[in-house]
Amino acid sequence: MTEGKIIVIVAPSGTGKSTLIKRLKSEYPQILESVSYTTRDAREGEEDGVHYNFVSVEKFIDMRDKSGFLEWAEVHGNYYGTGKAFVQSRLSEGSYLLFDLDVQGTDSFKSFFEEKAKVIFIAPPSVEVLESRLKGRGTETQESLRLRLENAKMELKRKDDYDFCVVNDDLERAYSDLKNVIEGILK
Ligand code: ADP
Ligand code: 5GP
């Protein structure tokens, strides 16, 4: 089931990963993004089945127990998982698949797919900038913000452990770096 290409994007929450992925998807329609399952509440503007499959904890656990996930993890107090069915069918068709995962999911992918999974870490210019982006987005409660920042410090220690690292300081420059990496992977 590994004929296609697997691109994983990993970044601490608030870095700008969703912003960059949105641009990538519009410029590279041949890259399909896997829609994860999550137990967190939808943010304003997020659509079920588009940004995530939003499910209850019971449904998530039932899927997990029925081996419905390729990987799953508890991140910032909620469950997130990659559905197996979509990945298996699309990879066998030779598609380019994009995954937005935390470090735990990324590590699971690397041990499962090894060199077939190309991982791009997106780093913020600093933890201070990350904090101001997260606050500016206005989506997090005080507790969620605290958890995300605490986790970000741990995740940032992993920034040089993967195949590529792009720093999202200036958005245009970061997008151009990311595009260069993607072009290299798609070749
Ligand atoms: P993530 O998906 O990594 O959690 P988002 O894409 O939601 O992050 O970005 C977090 C916030 O930072 C959003 O309000 C977004 O508009 C903003 N943002 C993203 N990239 C940049 C950048 N390079 N410079 C300034 N603000 C940015
Ligand atoms: P958010 O709540 O900000 O959308 O995502 C929180 C974190 O969960 C991000 O680091 C994101 O990459 C990660 N995430 C999203 N989907 C999955 C998934 O299917 N598996 C894993 N392991 N992490 C995910």
Side-chain angles (χ1 to χ4, degrees):
M1 77 178 228
T2 50
E3 294 87 343
K5 294 211 179 188
I6 297 166
I7 302 166
V8 177
I9 299 205
V10 56
S13 177
T15 299
K17 178 169 56 164
S18 311
T19 307
L20 289 163
I21 290 177
K22 196 172 167 195
R23 280 183 72 167
L24 267 186
K25 280 170 59 186
S26 67
E27 193 168 348
Y28 298 90
Q30 71 272 41
I31 300 179
L32 308 177
E33 189 179 16
S34 162
V35 180
S36 293
Y37 290 77
T38 185
T39 60
R40 86 150 159 75
D41 292 336
R43 294 178 189 138
E44 210 181 306
E46 282 184 333
E47 277 178 63
D48 188 33
V50 176
H51 296 91
Y52 280 107
N53 294 300
F54 293 98
V55 294
S56 64
V57 173
E58 292 71 29
K59 163 92 179 158
F60 191 98
I61 288 173
D62 184 53
M63 278 186 75
R64 181 196 68 186
D65 292 348
K66 289 179 175 148
S67 303
F69 296 123
L70 205 52
E71 64 74 39
W72 68 275
E74 187 176 347
V75 192
H76 318 312
N78 291 298
Y79 292 128
Y80 295 81
T82 305
K84 218 181 230 176
F86 170 84
V87 180
Q88 284 176 334
S89 64
R90 292 311 177 113
L91 268 187
S92 60
E93 289 167 4
S95 300
Y96 300 126
L97 297 186
L98 179 74
F99 299 87
D100 167 347
L101 304 176
D102 85 315
V103 288
Q104 303 167 78
T106 303
D107 291 340
S108 302
F109 259 55
K110 264 295 188 193
S111 44
F112 189 65
F113 293 110
E114 300 179 327
E115 276 312 291
K116 293 222 157 78
K118 299 297 178 200
V119 178
I120 309 165
F121 192 102
I122 315 275
S126 67
V127 174
E128 291 70 29
V129 170
L130 181 76
E131 181 168 1
S132 89
R133 284 186 191 164
L134 260 181
K135 284 183 175 159
R137 193 171 68 189
T139 51
E140 307 309 314
T141 60
Q142 198 88 316
E143 175 56 11
S144 166
L145 187 74
R146 191 194 61 74
L147 250 181
R148 282 167 190 260
L149 285 172
E150 194 177 293
N151 290 334
K153 288 176 194 153
M154 287 190 303
E155 288 161 356
L156 274 173
K157 292 191 183 138
R158 303 291 314 279
K159 75 183 173 58
D160 298 317
D161 292 352
Y162 300 110
D163 300 301
F164 308 94
C165 181
V166 169
V167 178
N168 182 18
D169 38 21
D170 173 72
L171 188 60
E172 294 310 314
R173 203 206 44 75
Y175 184 66
S176 152
D177 280 5
L178 181 61
K179 265 182 65 172
N180 283 339
V181 170
I182 295 288
E183 297 279 348
I185 296 172
L186 297 186
K187 242 187 235 157

